[in-house]
Amino acid sequence: MTEKTGLRRREFLQVLGAGSAGLVLGVIRPAPLAGQEGALIFKPNEYLAIDRQGRVTIWVARSEMGQGARTAVPMMVAEELEADWEKITVVPALAHPTKYGSMSTGGSTTVRRGWEPLRRAGAAAREMLITAAAQYWGVDRSTCKAQSGAVLHVPSGRKLDYGDLVTTASKLPVPQDVPLKDPSTYRIVGSKRARLDTPEKLTGKAVYGIDFTLPGLPVAVIARSPVFGGRFRSCDATAALQVKGVQRVVRLPGGVAVVADNTWAALQGRERLTVEWEEGEEAGLNSAAIHDYFVRQGSQEGQVVRAEGDFAAAAAAAATRLEAEYSVPFIAHAPMEPMNCTADVRADRVEIWAPMQNPQGAQEAVARITGLPLDKVFVNTLLLGGGFGRRLMNDYVEEAVHLSKAIGGPVKVVWSREDDMRHGFFRPASLHRVTGLLDADKEPAGWRHRIIAPSISAQLFGGGAGSGRPDAVDGAAQIPYQFGAVHIDYVMANTAVPVTWWRSVYNSQNAFVNECFLDEMAHAAGADPVQFRLALLPADSRLRAVLQLAADKSEWGKPLPPGRGRGIACHSCFGSYAAHCAEVEVDESGHLTVKRYVCAIDCGQAVNPDGVRAQMEGGVIFALSAAMRGEITIEKGGVVQGNFDTYEPLRINESPEIAVHIVPNHLPPGGVGEPGVPTVAPALCNAIFAATGIRVRRLPVSSTALKRSGE
């Protein structure tokens, strides 16, 4: 690498750091120690405080896992506060059951749920500072305005910095109903802002969970059953205890922990354990059996979640009836940073440090395990090296707490990559049976979709089909197209494979089916896929604009050479509307090259457009990795894949050119992290069909032989 570029890694970091230094206008710091908060002087609410130097501290109650929460949240507060962006300090909030509302980071909620309370918090502080300045000058309050970290008396031009007003402002009542700024006056929201956490990540000062340590902190790894639901039978730790650095071996509820001076010694000790497991009834479970189970389940009528018109009558009258079966596999989250947690359980308090998406859930779990009240459980959310929904689960936190409690001191539990791949939670596999109807004029007359899949909610929280609208139909029940008749039902098919939310959750599966099968209908009707969709979308649908924008920017309709094709897909979820157009090339041998992705997103008010683009770009790479390579297979009751050699992400040299286009508006923000994923796979598969005439109905694409000569 050095010979080719002439630039060493250290030099690269120095150059990159220098290039970005002029853009970085804030810092991230740990939460202030108990008793130091008073130095901040003016703290009108839980989200912000200002000291005598006019420095603004903003508490971020959502996790930072690369999506930009520690920049977007301060932007919303600072906008209404009229803060000086160069005087912003960000503090990760400690978990609290009520202070910040929900602290869970998932479902693309950070901006859209914070939009109102965070702006109002900033606006309340702004109004108090204006009142303080007016009182100081003895002038009518209406003649004053806040401006970039100061209050200006407009007639005289006098100005007072916020730091000069904090003492007086702190004595004023906090207003409950405050005016919010008109979007036309925004100077922070809607502007491109460099990520506040970038400098520390470049210099290595940033502390992820895997980096955290304490003096003399032991490290532990855990041996777990290789079979889902397996139980501990016995353990011989003699050989493990002979490994240099191994301190002890401890039996835990979910396995056997090897505690050592360092990670390497712990891993070596675990290899030398002799553990016997009661494998149980799942020992013979495999992917083929799960698929057969889905097929059997799919033969029965499901819970109807949407029924419009008379589908049976429409089917009897239809001139053309199309039927297809789609399926997707289990998929791992595979964040670059494996699970880890440091816990320190004492008689009267507990403190944990971990990368997590659900700190309040962790706090509740720790209180339950230790019997301590919530106010004695201190939860520090460190930087996450990726999450994608996996870290909404707190199993790894619970392990560390159990172990710390058992050994009577602090300990850091670390998962290996193989632990992470084989003992985590997965996006559910699913089977889909779809039927489309066209009338004699080739117009769409009906749509039927049966979803056969595990229910995340039912597996995690109990309950069965029929108890409200099932979660597995998200993205299917809301299909936006207008058909004469619609029938959508769901058949629950839970398995022993543990499942949880994965970026965009069920939308990643149901949008794949919706948009690919709709393409099949368009082809059968002899219609252009874009025009076919536009004709079916309501006139007021926000999807129309993103669909047209993606088509226009991708030069839809422009001829391509043989073996190349474009495919398009659109979908709405999590409050936003997205479309992707993929361009691919498939050579005579069936080798697939993804050349280009054009993304269009309507997410309402884009708080940080640069962050939106980054999320959409990341969504393409993430979803493409899943669509082309992602598959967790089950054999002998456990996961086959263990590392990135068998669960391979997209490589840099395989990544397509990506262009992102944001629809400008000032509507309330929608999500961004999740909506950029669902339409990536169907756009890819529709492009493959355009290039080869082959329909891909089962993911991943790499399992399908692609040849231009057809099926």
Side-chain angles (χ1 to χ4, degrees):
M1 179 66 75
T2 302
E3 293 177 0
K4 291 183 179 180
T5 64
L7 193 64
R8 297 182 185 274
R9 179 179 181 275
R10 183 183 299 276
E11 294 168 338
F12 167 76
L13 292 175
Q14 290 172 343
V15 170
L16 188 56
S20 62
L23 299 175
V24 177
L25 305 175
V27 297
I28 308 287
R29 75 179 187 208
L33 298 174
Q36 291 186 349
E37 294 89 340
L40 296 170
I41 304 299
F42 178 49
K43 194 174 189 300
N45 51 61
E46 304 301 338
Y47 296 103
L48 70 96
I50 307 176
D51 65 17
R52 288 194 177 94
Q53 287 69 48
R55 186 99 197 159
V56 179
T57 297
I58 296 175
W59 278 264
V60 176
R62 300 292 181 129
S63 306
E64 177 59 71
M65 51 185 169
Q67 86 282 29
R70 292 186 185 176
T71 301
V73 166
M75 288 178 71
M76 292 185 282
V77 176
E79 180 62 71
E80 290 292 344
L81 178 60
E82 267 294 332
D84 181 347
W85 187 246
E86 295 185 9
K87 292 185 176 181
I88 296 294
T89 295
V90 177
V91 174
L94 287 171
H96 191 279
T98 59
K99 188 183 291 186
Y100 304 101
S102 173
M103 297 177 69
S104 176
T105 306
S108 290
T109 55
T110 296
V111 169
R112 59 192 180 119
R113 289 189 182 170
W115 181 240
E116 284 292 325
L118 291 170
R119 287 189 304 145
R120 292 194 180 281
R126 179 195 70 218
E127 295 303 298
M128 295 169 73
L129 291 161
I130 291 174
T131 298
Q135 289 181 358
Y136 176 82
W137 286 319
V139 300
D140 190 318
R141 189 181 181 287
S142 65
T143 63
C144 303
K145 71 173 184 178
Q147 182 176 294
S148 191
V151 177
L152 177 68
H153 182 234
V154 178
S156 66
R158 288 177 291 177
K159 184 171 72 171
L160 284 169
D161 290 338
Y162 282 174
D164 299 326
L165 297 167
V166 293
T167 301
T168 302
S170 66
K171 300 174 183 177
L172 297 173
V174 179
Q176 299 303 307
D177 188 16
V178 292
L180 298 176
K181 295 172 66 174
D182 186 276
S184 64
T185 66
Y186 289 165
R187 61 183 185 84
I188 296 176
V189 166
S191 64
K192 179 180 177 180
R193 298 284 168 167
R195 294 275 295 273
L196 297 180
D197 53 351
T198 297
E200 291 190 347
K201 289 179 178 177
L202 289 173
T203 59
K205 293 180 180 179
V207 179
Y208 290 82
I210 203 77
D211 300 321
F212 183 80
T213 190
L214 296 168
L217 181 69
V219 178
V221 297
I222 298 173
R224 304 171 183 85
S225 170
V227 174
F228 299 127
R231 296 179 180 275
F232 174 83
R233 177 186 290 171
S234 65
C235 175
D236 182 352
T238 304
L241 290 170
Q242 293 174 354
V243 173
K244 183 179 180 181
V246 170
Q247 299 176 4
R248 65 181 81 182
V249 174
V250 181
R251 171 82 174 92
L252 293 177
V256 181
V258 177
V259 184
D261 296 342
N262 53 64
T263 307
W264 178 250
L267 288 168
Q268 293 302 300
R270 184 173 66 173
E271 284 189 9
R272 288 162 175 76
L273 284 178
T274 302
V275 185
E276 292 188 19
W277 306 95
E278 288 281 359
E279 294 185 341
E281 60 184 17
E282 304 300 339
L285 186 68
N286 58 55
S287 294
I290 292 172
H291 177 76
D292 291 344
Y293 167 60
F294 285 177
V295 171
R296 292 194 304 273
Q297 288 292 96
S299 65
Q300 60 184 289
E301 292 295 316
Q303 177 185 347
V304 178
V305 295
R306 182 173 172 183
E308 297 169 3
D310 188 334
F311 186 84
T320 303
R321 180 187 181 109
L322 302 173
E323 293 183 332
E325 186 172 279
Y326 283 79
S327 65
V328 299
F330 291 104
I331 292 180
H333 300 78
M336 290 304 296
E337 178 194 21
M339 302 302 108
N340 63 87
C341 177
T342 299
D344 185 3
V345 178
R346 304 181 187 180
D348 59 347
R349 72 189 301 274
V350 182
E351 189 159 12
I352 65 172
W353 299 262
M356 64 192 90
Q357 292 179 247
N358 184 15
Q360 289 165 319
Q363 189 178 42
E364 292 170 2
V366 174
R368 183 177 63 253
I369 293 168
T370 61
L372 291 169
L374 288 175
D375 63 357
K376 298 299 181 182
V377 178
F378 301 90
V379 176
N380 302 274
T381 303
L382 304 179
L383 289 172
L384 287 67
F388 317 121
R390 170 62 181 95
R391 298 185 203 270
L392 287 165
M393 309 302 294
N394 285 305
D395 53 315
Y396 58 102
V397 173
E398 294 181 22
E399 285 181 337
V401 172
H402 277 296
L403 183 55
S404 177
K405 184 179 178 182
I407 68 175
V411 66
K412 179 178 184 178
V413 171
V414 176
W415 290 41
S416 69
R417 175 67 57 201
E418 287 76 12
D419 293 337
D420 208 44
M421 198 75 74
R422 291 177 176 149
H423 300 286
F425 295 77
F426 306 92
R427 188 196 74 172
S430 59
L431 181 67
H432 304 256
R433 289 176 175 163
V434 280
T435 302
L437 307 176
L438 299 174
D439 64 20
D441 297 322
K442 299 295 185 182
E443 295 294 328
W447 176 274
R448 178 168 184 155
H449 184 179
R450 173 167 296 167
I451 303 116
I452 305 103
S455 167
I456 296 170
S457 295
Q459 189 180 97
L460 295 179
F461 311 119
S467 55
R469 200 190 78 181
D471 53 352
V473 304
D474 285 347
Q478 305 91 337
I479 188 168
Y481 303 109
Q482 296 176 312
F483 298 97
V486 176
H487 185 97
I488 299 170
D489 63 356
Y490 167 64
V491 180
M492 186 181 293
N494 288 341
T495 74
V497 181
V499 295
T500 196
W501 307 282
W502 183 91
R503 192 173 179 180
S504 81
V505 202
Y506 287 102
N507 289 277
S508 68
Q509 306 175 51
N510 292 324
F512 166 63
V513 178
N514 291 349
E515 291 299 298
C516 284
F517 191 63
L518 198 74
D519 231 56
E520 294 199 45
M521 292 182 69
H523 180 71
D528 174 82
V530 172
Q531 296 306 315
F532 191 76
R533 286 170 169 78
L534 288 171
L536 289 170
L537 287 171
D540 61 350
S541 173
R542 289 165 67 181
L543 276 174
R544 299 179 68 88
V546 294
L547 176 62
Q548 194 65 63
L549 181 59
D552 292 345
K553 295 297 183 179
S554 64
E555 299 181 295
W556 185 264
K558 182 178 179 180
L560 290 170
R564 294 184 72 159
R566 295 189 190 92
I568 203 157
C570 63
H571 186 72
S572 63
C573 59
F574 301 95
S576 291
Y577 305 79
H580 281 93
C581 182
E583 184 176 324
V584 306
E585 181 176 70
V586 183
D587 64 21
E588 295 288 351
S589 68
H591 177 73
L592 170 66
T593 303
V594 184
K595 308 293 287 186
R596 184 182 182 214
Y597 261 90
V598 174
C599 321
I601 177 77
D602 175 359
C603 58
Q605 173 67 63
V607 171
N608 185 357
D610 193 49
V612 173
R613 290 189 180 90
Q615 283 285 72
M616 294 298 289
E617 291 164 352
V620 169
I621 301 301
F622 182 82
L624 263 184
S625 292
M628 296 175 67
R629 308 273 173 73
E631 182 172 23
I632 289 294
T633 51
I634 310 301
E635 290 291 342
K636 298 180 180 179
V639 173
V640 173
Q641 290 74 18
N643 213 313
F644 289 130
D645 58 337
T646 51
Y647 194 85
E648 189 178 0
L650 202 68
R651 306 292 178 133
I652 291 176
N653 65 313
E654 298 171 311
S655 301
E657 173 191 342
I658 303 172
V660 178
H661 303 277
I662 303 170
V663 175
N665 63 54
H666 296 300
L667 294 170
V672 176
E674 323 254 2
V677 169
T679 46
V680 172
L684 170 72
C685 294
N686 292 338
I688 290 171
F689 174 77
T692 66
I694 297 173
R695 285 289 178 192
V696 177
R697 300 189 182 102
R698 183 192 183 280
L699 295 179
V701 175
S702 59
S703 66
T704 304
L706 301 178
K707 294 184 179 179
R708 289 191 313 199
S709 58
E711 294 179 290

